[in-house]
Amino acid sequence: MSEALTPETPEAVLDEAADEAGEEEPIKQRKNGLYPGVSDELADSMKSGWADTELRGLEPIAQAGYTAARRAALSARFPGERLVIPAGNLKTRSNDTEYPFRASVEYAYLTGNLTEDGVLVLEPAAEGHKATIYLLPRSNRENGEFWLSGQGELWVGRRHSLAEAERLYGIPASDVRELPAALTEATGPVRVVRGYDAAIEAALTDKVTREHDDELRVFLSEARLVKDEFEAGELQKAVDSTVRGFEDVVKVLDKAEATSERFIEGTFFLRARVEGNDIGYGSICASGPHACTLHWVRNDGPVRSGDLLLLDAGVETHTLYTADVTRTLPVNGTYSEIQKKIYDAVYDAQEAGIAAVQPGAKYRDFHDAAQHVLAERLVEWGLLEGPVERVLELGLQRRWTLHGTGHMLGMDVHDCAAARTETYVEGTLEPGMCLTVEPGLYFQADDLTVPEEYRGIGVRIEDDLLVTEDGNRNLSAGLPRRSDEVEAWMASLKG
């Protein structure tokens, strides 16, 4: 990685206007940089000789009409109030390197813009609100920002101009560097989505209350419970890429056996980066007893023939919608008798759960249906004493089922998490909702309450379901689920 000339806080230095004496602030150099400074001749040279690269004739992004409708719904919910929704800032990974940026879900949902430091502001107007998107403009060429700043154009790539942004997102755009001062002077009721931009929150510190801000976050979370047509299409794209990622993994299981779970992780990641923005969450590539650890993301264990591989992974699209799919695969292509017994129980539980996903059904119904099947099997196998109703009432099956049977899915893998309990877990399914159905059985390697042959076996099967007017659509139906179909699918890919 090449070495920038920037100071630790380059924007503050490079954007400083001439002081009262007409002198510009000196450009601070990196402590151990190889260049002692910038000559006047070089600075003058870098100001000129550049072509006009303004992009003209840009078309609005595909979701511009949908984001406008979402802003209108937000405006109607909070009339007369100023609403501030930040994208967030870059976060330091170590020293002078940053984590890859991912815009806040609330901001991306309302704008479609995904760049750091952006802020959407809805100013109350005579009718509704006036929306403005505040962004960093293109790097300044007069003061050298574009080549001297660590976030300048020649270091991290070109930003859209404000005029380009207006055409792309259908929202008037302004310079975000002017926003904190403007917010400091603002009057009237204000709400802000907290936790993303400390400077914006500081500018509003005497104008907002956490209680009111929480209401804004809750509304935006609940607004995402029902997906629009664009969102449903993006989720299908995410799932389709994920299916191809699972196929990629099966084709290289022999290489994973020669290395580790990391080979599986890297293989799926390649598909995610080629076809999408990223993985939607840390891939769980859990082989053998690691499958019993629900969120095994270390992925540093061995992959052995005869073991099961629990692969829980999802591709995130360029618009930040993620899939969340799990399959539990025999590394050698064939389930053993005990593996098949446990796998088929989970499959039957998932079938019951999927059948319960219907418009008008209670959200809890699919979980209850799946848990009932698993409790029945645990009683049949002699691992629990019946009747089944007693087991479920006391939650005894949870020793081996552990987690809930699903969750909402969208721009977050656990989407709509801030929604009120009465509208989410205690709510009713509606067409357009997207959720996972993912029962599992996990017999820990050190569990002395089960026969030895069970120990170290973990199975989860997870699919992404879109609630429709007449039932549901399994977005991930492209991946086989039944044990014999999984074996045939793996054989065809390896062959």
Side-chain angles (χ1 to χ4, degrees), residues 95-109:
N95 188 24
D96 57 355
T97 60
E98 294 85 20
Y99 288 104
F101 179 74
R102 189 184 190 276
S104 75
V105 165
E106 294 85 356
Y107 175 85
Y109 178 74

Side-chain angles (χ1 to χ4, degrees), residues 133-422:
I133 187 170
Y134 288 85
L135 302 165
L136 284 172
R138 288 194 63 188
S139 299
N140 191 317
R141 294 192 177 237
E142 277 300 306
N143 66 9
E145 176 197 353
F146 79 110
W147 72 286
L148 290 172
S149 168
Q151 296 302 317
E153 187 170 303
L154 297 194
W155 288 98
V156 298
R158 183 187 189 276
R159 295 193 288 262
H160 283 298
S161 71
L162 297 180
E164 291 168 354
E166 288 190 5
R167 290 193 291 272
L168 287 170
Y169 306 111
I171 314 171
S174 293
D175 190 335
V176 71
R177 293 171 295 190
E178 301 168 358
L179 182 59
L183 291 177
T184 300
E185 302 299 321
T187 59
V190 182
R191 296 178 193 256
V192 61
V193 178
R194 292 179 180 266
Y196 297 117
D197 195 317
I200 295 300
E201 289 183 36
L204 295 169
T205 188
D206 60 339
K207 299 177 175 62
V208 296
T209 65
R210 185 169 293 279
E211 179 183 353
H212 287 171
D213 291 346
D214 287 346
E215 290 176 357
L216 173 59
R217 185 185 290 275
V218 167
F219 174 81
L220 290 173
S221 194
E222 293 183 358
R224 302 197 308 275
L225 283 168
V226 176
K227 271 58 181 178
D228 57 38
E229 184 181 10
F230 176 83
E231 293 179 291
E234 290 300 292
L235 285 165
Q236 186 65 70
K237 286 180 187 176
V239 170
D240 290 345
S241 290
T242 299
V243 168
R244 289 188 283 273
F246 274 66
E247 292 172 347
D248 296 338
V249 167
V250 171
K251 292 175 182 177
V252 299
L253 279 177
D254 57 333
K255 294 182 175 63
E257 287 187 65
T259 52
S260 75
E261 295 163 341
R262 292 280 167 91
F263 201 95
I264 294 166
E265 178 184 353
T267 298
F268 187 84
F269 181 69
L270 177 61
R271 178 65 65 173
R273 288 293 283 164
V274 168
E275 295 192 2
N277 174 60
D278 206 334
I279 48 175
Y281 53 96
S283 298
I284 299 168
C285 308
S287 183
H290 289 163
C292 299
T293 301
L294 298 185
H295 289 164
W296 177 261
V297 293
R298 299 179 199 172
N299 299 335
D300 58 0
V303 178
R304 298 188 178 100
S305 179
D307 283 346
L308 295 177
L309 166 67
L310 190 156
L311 178 58
D312 184 337
V315 172
E316 177 185 81
T317 66
H318 294 292
T319 55
L320 306 189
Y321 289 85
T322 185
D324 182 8
V325 178
T326 306
R327 289 293 183 269
T328 306
L329 311 172
V331 174
N332 63 11
T334 304
Y335 295 100
S336 70
E337 184 177 346
I338 184 64
Q339 290 170 350
K340 186 176 186 301
K341 173 183 174 179
I342 296 169
Y343 184 95
D344 288 349
V346 175
Y347 171 81
D348 290 344
Q350 195 199 28
E351 283 284 274
I354 290 174
V357 176
Q358 304 283 337
K362 294 295 184 183
Y363 175 83
R364 287 183 177 273
D365 288 352
F366 76 94
H367 169 72
D368 293 341
Q371 290 292 300
H372 196 280
V373 172
L374 294 178
E376 286 178 338
R377 297 303 169 85
L378 292 167
V379 171
E380 288 174 13
W381 298 342
L383 302 182
L384 288 172
E385 181 181 347
V388 170
E389 287 68 25
R390 168 185 168 273
V391 170
L392 293 169
E393 181 181 357
L394 298 176
L396 301 180
Q397 82 285 358
R398 292 182 62 187
R399 180 181 178 100
W400 301 291
T401 65
L402 294 175
H403 55 78
T405 309
H407 52 80
M408 292 296 181
L409 184 68
M411 298 182 87
D412 281 327
V413 65
H414 298 141
D415 207 26
C416 313
R420 293 167 295 170
T421 301
E422 56 265 33

